[in-house]
Amino acid sequence: QVHLVESGGGLVQTGGSLRLSCAASGRTFSVNTMGWFRQAPGKAREFVARITSSSGYIDYADSVKGRFTISRDNAKNTKYLQMNSLKPEDTAVYYCVAGALATRNANDYPYWGQGTQVTVSS
């Protein structure tokens, strides 16, 4: 089992920045990919970004490319999502995910954090 704890959400104005953190514990050796999904009210869950440990490959959704940066601190088993130039449409609950596969499919990630709210005011 892998346990994920997110932090860093909050309220920010349009154009502002936030950094989300995701600390992993437990059987982290079984995890090859960590990433972020988000879900806005009334909308489907959406892929945001992922980073694959074995290759270092990083993948972003087109909607956040150039504004969001995913990174990792292996010594701390922690991943980060730096979010810049935030827009109202980025408002959502953001979930940290972990799994063995390197995909954009939410169903391929067995481990999910509790979610952290990000609200961008216009």
Side-chain angles (χ1 to χ4, degrees), residues 86-115:
L86 283 162
K87 307 174 181 180
E89 50 264 43
D90 294 318
T91 295
V93 176
Y94 283 70
Y95 297 92
C96 176
V97 300
L101 300 178
T103 80
R104 289 187 172 196
N105 188 341
N107 293 330
D108 289 332
Y109 292 92
Y111 306 113
W112 289 69
Q114 80 282 4

Side-chain angles (χ1 to χ4, degrees), residues 5-24:
V5 178
E6 302 129 336
S7 60
L11 173 65
V12 66
Q13 292 185 333
T14 296
S17 298
L18 284 173
R19 188 176 81 155
L20 305 183
S21 300
C22 176

Side-chain angles (χ1 to χ4, degrees), residues 23-119:
S25 61
R27 297 171 60 90
T28 57
F29 59 85
S30 66
V31 169
N32 186 40
T33 298
M34 290 188 71
W36 297 88
F37 283 76
R38 67 186 182 186
Q39 188 165 23
K43 295 189 176 181
R45 198 163 289 183
E46 176 188 20
F47 166 78
V48 176
R50 64 179 174 93
I51 182 167
T52 300
S53 298
S54 59
S55 64
Y57 180 75
I58 293 176
D59 183 26
Y60 297 102
D62 287 344
S63 58
V64 306
K65 198 173 294 183
R67 300 187 298 121
F68 290 12
T69 303
I70 189 170
S71 62
R72 61 187 178 186
D73 184 334
N74 289 334
K76 296 181 179 179
N77 270 336
T78 300
K79 301 295 187 291
Y80 304 96
L81 186 68
Q82 178 66 42
M83 305 184 294
N84 298 329
S85 302
L86 283 162
K87 307 174 181 180
E89 50 264 43
D90 294 318
T91 295
V93 176
Y94 283 70
Y95 297 92
C96 176
V97 300
L101 300 178
T103 80
R104 289 187 172 196
N105 188 341
N107 293 330
D108 289 332
Y109 292 92
Y111 306 113
W112 289 69
Q114 80 282 4
T116 185
Q117 177 70 46
V118 171
T119 303

